[in-house]
Amino acid sequence: MAAPVLCRLCPGRRWSLAYINRGSRHETGTPTGSRSSGKRGQSSGVQQPLITAEKPRKGEHEWAAVVGLEIHAQISSNSKLFSGSQVHFAAPPNSLVSFFDASLPGTLPAGYQITQQRLPIAVNGSLAYSVFVGKKPSQLINKTVRIKQIQLEQDSGKSLHDDRRSQTLIDLNRAGVGLLEVVLEPDMSCGEEAATAVKELQLILQTLGTSQANMAEGQLRVDANISVHHPGEPLGVRTEVKNLNSARFLAKAIDYEIQRQINELENGGEILNETRSFDYKLGCTVPMRDKEGKQDYRFIPEPNLPPLLLYDSVSLPAGADPQQVIDIDQIRKRLPELPSVTREKLIQQYGMLPEHSLTLLNEAGLLEFFQNVMKETRAEPKKVTSWVLNTFLGFLKQQNLAVSESPVTPSALAELLNLLDRKAISSSAAKQVFEELWRSKGKTPAHIVSEKELGLLQDRETLEQLCQATMEEHPQVVMDMKKGNPRAINKLIGLVRKATLSRADPTVIKEILEKKL
């Protein structure tokens, strides 16, 4: 069994790999590590069992994992980077290809991928994100990952392998599509951290309109660079897991690869500097090819492309033609509110917990739904937040629906909360009304309350008579209550509510019972 992985959030405590997704890391340098001999050793694509938590055995060492990411986001554009060909998901193969995209003779063929690798748009940035830790969702840790650089590049064509015919088919629809590549430094230590950082970047890109960033349609793809080492020792040999197209698979692939590398080293094997892919059906990474060195990329300048000049009002050179440069100040003025600012406003305006503001923004359309409910209800913000995040979102998750597919509208939920707020119905009745709203599209909460007789009894005299009758029918419970048994009054409240078919307010019943005693 492999040695435990060090958890950076709990100094001095050792965690097994099964719990490394609660870890944290911030380490300088890149995970290039030492050279391997090139032997396969005992490398295997077979999934290893999860390591369970236990104290380290004598002689065992802790392991630390290092994770860096390369994120490719498809730029929101109707055409490709250097041609007029359209960009459209799920188009028939090779239906969106110009002569230039195919590098045909006579079109000044390129035949290689163009990138800003040497002259990126931006360098030395950072991305802030928050990670849930522990069993309670309220435990949040704010983290930052450094951004090495951001650059433009072209997407490449897609190979389609037909094993039955022993053929490889090429689809060039994606060739030449503009990509924004964001390179994150190796400051993460597990799959959950990486997936959370990617989801935060995805939200920012969608907010800015830079990219639709739909991972299911290949508009956001991630390559993960992963290595392990003993704390205090040089970083280990890294592997790269390519083309991860969902946050869930990204987390699974990284955690599996960390475990695989630890098992390999613990068993006397070596880690190869190779490229791997993630088999989501088997839940494991498998080798693709040896990792290329820098010499294999053969970077060369492209003389036919003029430089992209970015300036602000301070750095604009004297005499420069404003029409030939991109003014960052003008772009900054038009930027929409970023997710981090929106979350802070929610916390300040509604007294919302930070984790609730995170969830509202992370689920597409949920913030707008919440705000629309708030416009039409008199209920307190905390109650609205609870209903939206617990009841409403719970039903969506249960049926795998998006917010836009919900059968319950913001107006309907607002009306239901208004009924609850003015004590026209009980909390349990409100849940019944919501379930009926979910099943019966078109009905209003008031109609459901009337139809199913769920309204609270408002006649206090009737309630007093029911309480008196219940006490007379259960003298022993009354005696227990007089002796100070706290369970006795709860039993009496339950009996009265049963007699009213749960249409009485428990608070009012308790008040009447205590007064009568």
Side-chain angles (χ1 to χ4, degrees):
M1 181 173 287
V5 175
L6 184 66
C7 175
R8 299 280 180 173
L9 297 183
C10 309
R13 183 175 182 180
R14 295 173 175 83
W15 292 77
S16 73
L17 191 58
Y19 296 98
I20 61 166
N21 62 343
R22 301 302 180 195
S24 164
R25 178 174 184 78
H26 187 93
E27 184 138 6
T28 58
T30 53
T32 50
S34 57
R35 303 286 182 187
S36 69
S37 64
K39 295 179 181 178
R40 284 278 169 191
Q42 300 177 27
S43 180
S44 170
V46 179
Q47 188 174 14
Q48 302 293 329
L50 278 177
I51 302 169
T52 54
E54 63 172 35
K55 292 181 179 179
R57 293 174 296 184
K58 189 174 181 180
E60 286 186 334
H61 298 286
E62 299 160 334
W63 289 97
V66 179
V67 179
L69 301 177
E70 296 169 16
I71 304 166
H72 302 84
Q74 181 178 313
I75 296 170
S76 293
S77 172
N78 293 327
S79 63
K80 296 183 179 180
L81 208 53
F82 298 112
S83 83
S85 296
Q86 288 187 328
V87 176
H88 183 65
F89 177 69
N94 295 310
S95 62
L96 305 175
V97 185
S98 70
F99 291 149
F100 181 82
D101 301 329
S103 299
L104 294 180
T107 62
L108 195 64
Y112 50 84
Q113 186 181 33
I114 295 176
T115 177
Q116 283 184 306
Q117 192 264 348
R118 288 185 175 177
L119 293 171
I121 291 175
V123 296
N124 300 330
S126 63
L127 173 67
Y129 63 101
S130 300
V131 182
F132 290 101
V133 296
K135 293 182 179 180
K136 295 182 179 180
S138 59
Q139 292 181 273
L140 269 180
I141 289 189
N142 296 323
K143 303 184 69 61
T144 300
V145 56
R146 293 169 298 151
I147 299 176
K148 181 180 180 182
Q149 63 191 58
I150 297 176
Q151 63 203 35
L152 279 173
E153 70 176 25
Q154 290 176 300
D155 206 346
S156 56
K158 183 168 65 173
S159 299
L160 304 170
H161 304 292
D162 189 336
D163 294 331
R164 289 182 299 176
R165 298 181 181 179
S166 299
Q167 289 181 330
T168 296
L169 307 175
I170 304 296
D171 179 9
L172 294 179
N173 278 351
R174 280 197 336 212
V177 170
L179 299 178
L180 183 73
E181 181 177 15
V182 182
V183 182
L184 302 185
E185 296 279 19
D187 296 338
M188 296 159 284
S189 65
C190 64
E192 183 178 0
E193 280 189 45
T196 305
V198 167
K199 284 190 282 190
E200 181 67 12
L201 179 61
Q202 180 186 37
L203 187 58
I204 291 172
L205 293 174
Q206 291 169 340
T207 302
L208 295 177
T210 306
S211 171
Q212 295 179 21
N214 186 332
M215 298 188 82
E217 295 185 3
Q219 295 168 349
L220 190 71
R221 306 193 303 274
V222 185
D223 302 335
N225 294 294
I226 305 154
S227 70
V228 299
H229 67 285
H230 295 304
E233 296 183 1
L235 298 183
V237 176
R238 68 171 175 173
T239 60
E240 182 179 28
V241 183
K242 298 281 286 186
N243 288 328
L244 295 160
N245 61 358
S246 85
R248 186 165 61 92
F249 291 158
L250 171 66
K252 285 179 175 289
I254 289 173
D255 288 343
Y256 173 84
E257 183 59 19
I258 291 171
Q259 177 181 305
R260 184 194 69 84
Q261 291 187 19
I262 292 173
N263 287 346
E264 187 77 22
L265 294 170
E266 288 282 341
N267 290 324
E270 293 177 312
I271 304 302
L272 301 180
N273 187 211
E274 63 182 353
T275 300
R276 301 175 71 88
S277 64
F278 181 66
D279 188 322
Y280 70 92
K281 292 180 180 178
L282 296 177
C284 65
T285 65
V286 293
M288 290 174 64
R289 60 178 183 270
D290 290 340
K291 182 70 180 164
E292 301 95 335
K294 286 186 177 180
Q295 70 279 2
D296 296 315
Y297 284 95
R298 298 172 187 167
F299 288 112
I300 59 173
E302 173 50 74
N304 295 306
L305 288 177
L308 183 64
L309 304 179
L310 304 175
Y311 292 102
D312 57 19
S313 56
V314 177
S315 61
L316 184 65
D321 182 357
Q323 301 297 321
Q324 300 298 317
V325 300
I326 295 176
D327 188 341
I328 297 173
D329 288 334
Q330 292 298 320
I331 297 174
R332 187 178 287 116
K333 290 176 183 176
R334 299 196 301 267
L335 287 180
E337 185 175 276
L338 291 177
S340 58
V341 177
T342 304
R343 285 193 286 259
E344 189 58 36
K345 284 186 176 180
L346 289 170
I347 294 170
Q348 296 298 327
Q349 184 176 358
Y350 300 117
M352 192 177 292
L353 294 174
E355 58 270 21
H356 293 162
S357 69
L358 272 173
T359 306
L360 279 177
L361 264 74
N362 287 348
E363 294 290 334
L366 193 60
L367 176 60
E368 183 181 3
F369 186 96
F370 168 81
Q371 291 172 330
N372 287 333
V373 174
M374 285 298 303
K375 290 176 185 176
E376 300 186 46
T377 185
R378 295 185 298 271
E380 293 182 353
K382 288 185 178 180
K383 180 160 284 188
V384 178
T385 302
S386 176
W387 271 82
V388 169
L389 295 185
N390 297 325
T391 307
F392 176 72
L393 188 57
F395 272 69
L396 288 177
K397 296 286 188 185
Q398 193 176 32
Q399 299 189 25
N400 197 27
L401 296 175
V403 174
S404 59
E405 299 171 312
S406 166
V408 177
T409 65
S411 296
L413 181 55
E415 183 185 341
L416 172 60
L417 293 178
N418 284 337
L419 291 172
L420 188 59
D421 184 63
R422 65 172 187 259
K423 300 188 182 303
I425 56 174
S426 66
S427 296
S428 59
K431 295 289 177 64
Q432 294 180 56
V433 173
F434 185 87
E435 291 174 6
E436 187 63 26
L437 282 172
W438 197 270
R439 289 192 297 264
S440 307
K441 194 173 181 179
K443 288 186 178 181
T444 66
H447 180 255
I448 294 170
V449 169
S450 174
E451 181 183 65
K452 295 189 173 293
E453 297 183 346
L454 295 173
L456 282 177
L457 287 175
Q458 304 296 336
D459 188 346
R460 189 176 180 93
E461 184 178 345
T462 301
L463 275 177
E464 288 184 349
Q465 291 174 358
L466 284 171
C467 288
Q468 182 64 41
T470 303
M471 292 171 65
E472 291 173 358
E473 291 172 7
H474 299 87
Q476 184 58 50
V477 179
V478 174
M479 289 297 296
D480 292 342
M481 183 178 170
K482 288 180 177 180
K483 291 177 182 178
N485 186 340
R487 294 183 179 181
I489 192 166
N490 290 333
K491 185 171 183 180
L492 282 175
I493 291 172
L495 290 168
V496 176
R497 290 200 71 213
K498 186 177 180 181
T500 64
L501 301 177
S502 299
R503 295 180 60 197
D505 187 344
T507 306
V508 177
I509 296 173
K510 184 179 180 182
E511 179 191 332
I512 294 173
L513 289 172
E514 289 177 340
K515 185 177 179 181
K516 286 185 175 295
L517 287 170

